[in-house]
Amino acid sequence: MSVPPALLSVAILVVGAMVILTLTSRLTRDSTALGTIGMLTLVVAALPSVAGDPLSQIALFSILGAAAIAMLLVPSAELHVTTQRPEVAALVLLGSAGAVVLATAGDLLSAALGLETLSLSAAVLIGLGRGERPLEAAFKYFVLSAITFAALIYGLGLIFLATGSFAWPSLAQVEAAYHWVLLAGVMLFGLGVSYELAVVPLHWGALDVYTAGAPALAGYVMAASKVAAVLALGRLVVGAGAPPPAVLIGIGLLSIVWGTLGALAQRELRRMLAYSAVANAGFLALALGCGAEGRAAAVFYVEIYALTALLVFAALAGRGPGPLGLADVPSEEWGATRALGLALGLLSLAGIPPAPGFWAKLAVLAAAWHAAGWGPTVVAAVGGVAGVLYYLRPLPDVFAAVRADGGGPGPRFPAPAVLLAGAAVVFLGLVPGLAYAIARLAIG
Amino acid sequence: MSGVLLWAWALTLPGLVLTGLGVGRRPGSASLAGPGVLLVVAVTWLLGSRTAAELRQVDWLPFLPDGAFHLRGDALAAVMLAVLGFVSLCVYVYSLAYMADEPPAGQRRFFMYLDFFVASMAILVLAGNLAVLLIGWAGVGLASFLLISFWLDRPGTLGAGLQALAANAVGDAALLVAIVLVPAGCGDLLTLQTPACLAVPGGARLTASLLLVAAAAKSAQGPLYFWLPSAMAGPTPISALIHAATMVAAGVYLLVRTNALLAAAPPVAVATAALGVATALGGGLASLQQANFKRGLAYSTVSQLGYMFAGVGFGAPFAAIFHLVTHASFKALLFLSAGVVIHARDGEEELAALGGLRRALPGAYAAFLVGSLALVGLPGLSGALSKDAILDAGEQANLLLAVCLFGGTFLTGLYIGRLFFGVFHGPRPDEQPIHHPSPLLLWPLVPLAVGAVVAGYLEWPAGLLSSALGETAGHAEPVRFASPFGFFAGLLGVFGFALSGWRGREQAAEPVRVGTDAGWVGAVARRGYGLADRLAAIHSGRLGRYALASVFGIAIILLIGLRA
């Protein structure tokens, strides 16, 4: 019997996590060994992708890539109990295992299990952060995820009722009289997965988590859950008929408007990034509703978005968990590398060509134009362009601060993570066609 | 040579890196070679065999209708590059002296931004399709923002930069929509008007309107004018290079490049002409209201860009490009000589505090006079010939609009005369000390002044410019020297100039009303932020509400989805 490559990766990730948990007391003192074991696990877990199909390849690459950057960030994470770094590393591995399962699952039941593993790991990761706010945010995230998970399970039941199996559903297998049962099931299941995407009206928990969690960990939570959710939703809507894509377009546009307006109102950098994550989730949902070309654009978008978000959060890591008001940006210690990483990330998020974020937005707009018409395209284009207004606001102050004191980035600055993520962003900016081609192969 | 032309956009990048690394005794001197080489490459190409070259890397962005990395080096691009190289070389040299009081790191940053701007602008004019155009388009917008906000510690610079960014964003959005709405395989700037590429709902009108919106945002036309006067908060060399000579003319360039599309959509062409004429008159009137020297010049730029838009709208793209070339020279000259004045007076820009500087700054005085006369169109100078070409085209296309434009020349004379006599003649309002300008500030004025005088003879009488451009700027009518219409327009301008000199003697320090800019933009922004605040307040942090909202959200979405 042959084991699917993705499953093999999941097994390796879980074993790695267990090894780390077993050796906790030793690894607490030796952060080099912790990093080595973590990275080694990720590298070994990526190997089976050689034999996999394009879908599992892209899932493994993007999720494990995000996890690798997160692993480099573990030493800079602001934790409530500083001896818990091994637990953090183990949770990153477990969360990645969940994300891989969600993205590549053979049936809906395994996908639901993956989703729950991912979402629990994420909640605990955030809860480990220093201060009161992370714990509160993690609790809210957990409760709200339980509510949407209930909807998801109910949807799973309806799908089973209509099709008699837990396989990825298709409208063609079902008698016309039961179409609505299947549709209701698919929509409930899809909304459950959309919680990971953080679209309106399921964004409340994610908003607090992105704001309050330690930056080093919040970036990973954001990246891994969005990548996995996009891949899962992309597979879900393929055979589901017309209504689910239309719903996705609707909530996508709502999220774009909501997130953009919310971000414009913020006076705090982290909160602004959190709202902008909602707007970006809107772009993803919009693209997912726009047919085959749109699904490819969504995967392309999420690869780039996840990487850029990781870069921005890595550049903010290690400077303390507290809020960073836009008015306080000039008095902050930045250092050139940190400032450059942040600038590159924000420019890409703002969609300034030739940064990759721009190509991603363009791909979504092109797909939306052909599948959804001019109305949604114009709303999305205006929303995307308005992003410039908030993303670029902190940048002049950052550079002014760097110029004024020329100080270093602080002792806990994760230079390797910033450099790795930055290099990847630059690479994607130069050859966007390559990433897009892979995305189209994975999910056409 | 053609291959080199295609890569001209990369010529300032070595300078950018070297300046960034701190090479050169004087910060920024390492960047000087870039624009010089750019000028040489463009002129050599124009004087040589003029074989057009193309670079096409298909499937660079496979999700777009035309996602090729497509560069096209032809005569129009070469002329634009020559203008860019010429003005930027003068501005670079000038900036060495103008920015000398900055700390060295600041000077280096300034020149790096400048190098980035020149590279982006070169990509913009070398772009073969909409996708590549957009890179340059957004790049120059970003460079403009960075340079307007260069002096962050001065009040208002960041706000001015953001205004420019916001206006640019409108244009970028229009261009984005244009890029994705064209049918597959379309996007080449020269073939947008083919029937296959117009097979979209809305057809030629929609595509042309989108490009018009993009161009109007970049060139500060119509309701999108507001950012350009505010952009004067940036350093004066920037105002000369970016906000007078090159970037703001990119909108005109785009319309000229796609003139065949405009010709396929006559209503949009008429709208372009009307927009241009309205802006030409409005900009002239607004300039008369300004209390600030540079803002007065900025409205003059808005007004002159209106002339170019009118030219394109009249179906005379060549006339627009011709005026673009001459305007680049004399308006950069005006700004740089204004910069000499401002530098000599320690940054003083208010007209009420300037006056009687004729004797103290003879170089700036002469340069500003030459620039002013070229602007008003004294017969024989460059502005006279190019404005003549636009008025001539208007006479044949739309007499009513042409007559309005003709009347605009009087305003031109009036406002530039007000600035000229107000700053250089009359009594000195105070006895503040004056720093004498260094030679580096004055030398760059010489080539620009020569250009302001002779640029018109590139076309008249031998037709060098139109034969070089060939069909790339549409079919060119031979420009007549001193057609009756144009001749009287020039005289009218000179009359206005003289009139303001005569008036200026009587009321030297008359207080001027400061125009209120961007009223509607401010209102929209306030509303938008108010709405945003209210929406953000929904996120109260209360778990119960969040849970309720999630449950109801799921239920509503389910109901809507099942009904559909």
Side-chain angles (χ1 to χ4, degrees), chain B residues 261-334:
Chain B
L261 175 66
L262 210 57
V268 184
V270 174
T272 309
L275 182 72
V277 171
T279 315
L281 297 180
L285 284 173
S287 174
L288 285 171
Q289 306 288 333
Q290 299 307 308
N292 178 300
F293 192 10
K294 278 176 74 184
R295 289 178 74 92
L297 283 176
Y299 276 106
S300 159
T301 307
V302 170
S303 164
Q304 292 301 306
L305 289 165
Y307 276 89
M308 299 177 212
F309 266 61
V312 184
F314 290 151
F318 171 72
I321 280 291
F322 186 28
H323 196 51
L324 189 159
V325 171
T326 60
H327 175 259
S329 194
F330 63 70
K331 188 52 66 66
L333 176 66
L334 286 172

Side-chain angles (χ1 to χ4, degrees), chain A residues 168-184:
Chain A
W168 293 89
S170 136
L171 215 52
Q173 318 160 344
V174 182
E175 280 178 46
Y178 292 103
H179 271 183
W180 71 272
V181 180
L182 182 69
L183 271 183

Side-chain angles (χ1 to χ4, degrees), chain B residues 62-450:
Chain B
F63 43 84
L64 289 182
D66 176 6
F69 187 80
H70 185 182
L71 296 177
R72 174 183 285 121
D74 62 0
L76 182 56
V79 167
M80 292 296 291
L81 287 175
V83 171
L84 176 66
F86 176 62
V87 179
S88 57
L89 183 60
C90 296
V91 166
Y92 270 64
V93 174
Y94 183 90
S95 302
L96 281 181
Y98 196 86
M99 303 302 286
D101 301 337
E102 288 289 306
Q107 291 182 48
R108 270 198 289 281
R109 194 164 54 95
F110 180 83
F111 279 97
M112 286 165 72
Y113 289 168
L114 266 185
D115 286 331
F116 172 65
F117 165 74
V118 174
S120 306
M121 186 73 200
I123 286 188
L124 194 159
V125 298
L126 284 165
N129 62 3
L130 287 168
V132 179
L133 178 86
L134 185 58
I135 299 181
W137 198 261
V140 292
L142 184 64
S144 155
F145 162 70
L146 290 170
L147 285 161
I148 294 170
S149 312
F150 183 76
W151 284 317
L152 274 174
D153 41 352
R154 301 196 183 174
T157 51
L158 187 59
L162 287 175
Q163 270 190 32
L165 212 53
N168 265 310
V170 175
D172 292 355
L175 207 52
L176 268 181
V177 176
I179 287 178
V180 297
L181 79 82
V182 290
C186 292
D188 189 317
L189 292 170
L190 295 184
T191 58
L192 285 173
Q193 75 288 356
T194 52
C197 289
L198 294 178
V200 285
R205 270 188 217 180
L206 180 59
T207 319
S209 310
L210 286 169
L211 293 187
L212 175 61
V213 171
K218 198 56 108 192
S219 295
Q221 294 296 294
L224 293 167
Y225 77 97
F226 59 87
W227 64 272
L228 187 57
S230 310
M232 296 300 124
T236 305
I238 296 312
S239 311
L241 175 62
I242 300 185
H243 303 119
T246 54
M247 184 194 87
V248 287
V252 179
Y253 162 78
L254 174 63
L255 292 180
V256 171
R257 181 59 99 182
T258 58
N259 66 76
L261 175 66
L262 210 57
V268 184
V270 174
T272 309
L275 182 72
V277 171
T279 315
L281 297 180
L285 284 173
S287 174
L288 285 171
Q289 306 288 333
Q290 299 307 308
N292 178 300
F293 192 10
K294 278 176 74 184
R295 289 178 74 92
L297 283 176
Y299 276 106
S300 159
T301 307
V302 170
S303 164
Q304 292 301 306
L305 289 165
Y307 276 89
M308 299 177 212
F309 266 61
V312 184
F314 290 151
F318 171 72
I321 280 291
F322 186 28
H323 196 51
L324 189 159
V325 171
T326 60
H327 175 259
S329 194
F330 63 70
K331 188 52 66 66
L333 176 66
L334 286 172
F335 266 109
L336 291 188
S337 38
V340 173
V341 172
I342 293 166
H343 197 257
R345 289 294 314 273
D346 271 333
E348 182 60 64
E349 295 178 6
E350 296 306 309
L351 285 171
L354 297 171
L357 294 169
R358 177 175 35 147
R359 294 226 160 68
L361 299 167
Y365 174 71
F368 202 90
L369 180 61
V370 171
S372 304
L373 291 177
L375 169 67
V376 297
L378 179 73
L381 297 191
S382 64
L385 287 157
S386 56
K387 216 177 278 182
D388 195 352
I390 290 176
L391 290 172
D392 232 19
E395 198 184 346
Q396 289 154 30
N398 190 328
L399 194 59
L400 178 66
L401 289 177
V403 168
C404 294
L405 215 50
F406 176 78
T409 56
F410 177 65
L411 281 177
T412 311
L414 219 50
Y415 70 68
I416 198 66
R418 172 174 165 269
L419 297 176
F420 173 75
F421 292 108
V423 169
F424 291 102
H425 283 258
R428 294 270 297 273
D430 49 29
E431 285 306 316
Q432 296 286 329
I434 289 174
H435 313 297
H436 284 278
S438 83
L440 270 185
L441 279 183
L442 293 178
W443 277 113
L445 302 183
V446 175
L448 287 171
V450 173

Side-chain angles (χ1 to χ4, degrees), chain A residues 291-322:
Chain A
E293 211 52 34
R295 287 194 291 277
V299 174
F300 177 58
Y301 192 103
V302 80
E303 284 169 43
I304 287 173
Y305 176 70
L307 199 57
T308 323
L310 270 171
L311 173 63
V312 169
F313 276 85
L316 292 174
R319 53 152 290 281

